[in-house]
Amino acid sequence: MNKKNIVEKIENYGLLHSFFKKNVRILVGLSGGPDSICLSLLLKELQEKYSIFLMAAHVNYHLRGDDSNADEDFVKVFCYKNSIPLYILSTEILKEENLQQKARDIRFEYFYKLKKHYKIDYIALGHQMDDQIETVLLKFLRGAGFRGLGGIAPERASIIHPLLTLKKTEIHEYLSLKNQSFRVDSTNETSLYTRNKIRNELLPLLCDQYNPNLPEKLFEYGNFFYLTDCYFRDTSKKYFKKALIDKNDSEVIFDVRELRQCFPIISYYIYKEAWQQLTSEETDFYHIHFQEIMNLVETENGYKEISLPEKMLVIKDYELLVFRNLNKYLTPEREDSKEISIGRNIFSFNDSRFTMQKLRRSPETGFGNGRDTAVFDLDKIIFPIKLRYRQNGDKFIPFGMESFKKVKDYLIDEKVSMLARDNIVLFTDAEKIFWVSNYRIDQRVAVSEETKNFLQV
């Protein structure tokens, strides 16, 4: 393959995934290795055609002493010769257990800072086909789902990987044609890290003893699973919206009846999306967590909850399924009670708003119909009226009944969720609860033929 063919291959890949377009602004993560050097040169070749604003960023962690400084000097000279603006972060990190993750966090924090400041469209990284093959195999060994098995995405969250269509041999061939040198990180040749073990030991063993075409197959599987993930992710969005009742920064609430109608794979994507929205993370949600939630959804009516990582609480409350991030959730502050006089005809109590009107004759509707309007015999109410929430031991005589019933038992029989129970406003007078608002009035204040004064709320 000649240089022109490689450039065309990258261009077509970029057009396919829509990250090559006019006046695009791209930041290259430039380590000095063959992949990032190749990526920079290929983008440079396409720069004029697409009016690309191109810049590069390098991070020196000072982990390899003089070699790290030599990498920095190399990228400085490279960018100067190719007229690429370069930004360098010089930092030091301890050689801790999760060194690679720590370095990655520092690197991306710096990239995103530059992206925001310079209004960059994409951060371009030099992962190539061989990296993709290793990633797919690594994710398989770790038991990942479709998204993990899809490997490195061509584009995700403004991160692009234009070289995924090139093999390592093609990259070296291109650099040779350009007579371009590069830096080599000697730690890539050791098997200290899991990925290096896969590259240096496991993959050669599998190819030698089981299937010499395994790398090509793994790459094909990665593409297949990436497309599968995209399809299910896109398809699940409409089911997510259909099942969604409410959401905020700390909670996502679904209708269980809608969830039960979804195929399990769609449910998986719905729950993972809820997880991601509340944690801003895609990791730590695994099949075992999905199965726990599915078991929760299939339980009979009632209240049950499970705890997941990242302090995530999932609650099944009758026909509600609630994802609650305990790191963010705050119990809302509210009034415990409010006293109302007959002279106040419009009033609010926390999130509820009421109108109250004294009538001389009976309205046509509203006789304990259990909805948002109720009518009482005013002379059977002993003022003042007090609004409050339920307490242990609360009881009343539901309209149409002759004996007391605990408010708790009444709401359970009505299949009212526990979350809703705690927000039901009770109307009381000096001696009794006379309305469980939006549900049932008390028989003792019911309108009769003898009623002369009516109260409509």
Side-chain angles (χ1 to χ4, degrees), residues 26 33 93 118 124 133-134 138 174 198 222 240 248 259 337 359 451:
I26 298 177
I93 53 178
Y118 290 100
I133 291 164
E134 294 162 9
L138 176 62
Y174 172 78
I198 289 173
F240 183 99
N248 53 49
L259 293 173
S337 62
L359 304 173
T451 300

Side-chain angles (χ1 to χ4, degrees), residues 416-447:
V416 180
S417 74
M418 188 175 292
L419 297 174
R421 289 179 224 165
D422 292 336
N423 291 300
I424 294 172
V425 179
L426 304 182
F427 279 66
T428 70
D429 66 6
E431 64 177 16
K432 60 186 172 292
I433 294 169
F434 67 86
W435 188 28
V436 179
S437 66
N438 285 335
Y439 288 94
R440 191 71 64 89
I441 71 168
D442 189 286
Q443 178 64 36
R444 290 167 291 178
V445 294
V447 170

Side-chain angles (χ1 to χ4, degrees), residues 18-47:
S18 303
F19 47 72
F20 283 162
K21 48 197 171 187
K22 283 288 185 181
N23 301 309
V24 69
R25 301 173 70 86
I26 298 177
L27 168 68
V28 178
L30 185 60
S31 67
D35 302 337
S36 64
I37 291 293
C38 175
L39 174 60
S40 301
L41 291 175
L42 286 168
L43 291 175
K44 190 70 182 176
E45 294 206 44
L46 294 168
Q47 185 174 30

Side-chain angles (χ1 to χ4, degrees), residues 348-403:
S348 62
F349 182 56
N350 295 316
D351 292 332
S352 301
R353 187 172 183 270
F354 299 93
T355 61
M356 187 166 66
Q357 186 177 10
K358 182 179 178 181
L359 304 173
R360 287 296 184 181
R361 60 183 182 140
S362 171
E364 293 182 0
T365 60
F367 289 89
N369 62 4
R371 297 305 154 201
D372 62 355
T373 300
V375 178
F376 314 95
D377 186 325
L378 180 59
D379 297 324
K380 295 177 181 177
I381 296 174
I382 304 171
F383 282 83
I385 292 174
K386 184 178 180 181
L387 277 61
R388 65 172 175 82
Y389 298 102
R390 67 188 181 98
Q391 299 170 358
N392 289 334
D394 278 342
K395 59 185 179 180
F396 75 129
I397 303 176
F399 178 72
M401 298 179 65
E402 297 179 351
S403 59

Side-chain angles (χ1 to χ4, degrees), residues 298-410:
E298 294 305 319
T299 56
E300 295 300 318
N301 285 343
Y303 184 95
K304 191 175 180 181
E305 62 184 47
I306 57 173
S307 296
L308 300 182
E310 302 292 335
K311 297 199 75 174
M312 182 72 72
L313 188 67
V314 183
I315 303 164
K316 163 70 165 49
D317 193 356
Y318 288 90
E319 300 302 333
L320 299 179
L321 186 72
V322 182
F323 285 72
R324 178 180 294 167
N325 186 335
L326 297 179
N327 287 319
K328 299 178 180 179
Y329 182 77
L330 296 174
T331 303
E333 294 184 7
R334 64 184 187 181
E335 294 179 89
D336 292 328
S337 62
K338 175 174 277 191
E339 196 169 284
I340 303 296
S341 66
I342 191 63
R344 298 179 62 185
N345 58 5
I346 299 177
F347 54 92
S348 62
F349 182 56
N350 295 316
D351 292 332
S352 301
R353 187 172 183 270
F354 299 93
T355 61
M356 187 166 66
Q357 186 177 10
K358 182 179 178 181
L359 304 173
R360 287 296 184 181
R361 60 183 182 140
S362 171
E364 293 182 0
T365 60
F367 289 89
N369 62 4
R371 297 305 154 201
D372 62 355
T373 300
V375 178
F376 314 95
D377 186 325
L378 180 59
D379 297 324
K380 295 177 181 177
I381 296 174
I382 304 171
F383 282 83
I385 292 174
K386 184 178 180 181
L387 277 61
R388 65 172 175 82
Y389 298 102
R390 67 188 181 98
Q391 299 170 358
N392 289 334
D394 278 342
K395 59 185 179 180
F396 75 129
I397 303 176
F399 178 72
M401 298 179 65
E402 297 179 351
S403 59
F404 282 101
K405 187 166 190 172
K406 286 185 177 181
V407 172
K408 177 183 178 181
D409 293 339
Y410 167 77

Side-chain angles (χ1 to χ4, degrees), residues 6 8 12 22 42 50 68 89 119 128 164 224 249 265 285 316 345 361 365 374 414 439 442:
I6 292 176
E8 288 180 350
N12 291 334
K22 283 288 185 181
L42 286 168
Y50 292 97
S68 293
L89 174 66
K119 295 181 172 57
Q128 30 79 0
L164 287 181
F224 175 79
D249 289 342
I265 188 62
F285 185 84
K316 163 70 165 49
N345 58 5
R361 60 183 182 140
T365 60
E414 292 294 312
Y439 288 94
D442 189 286

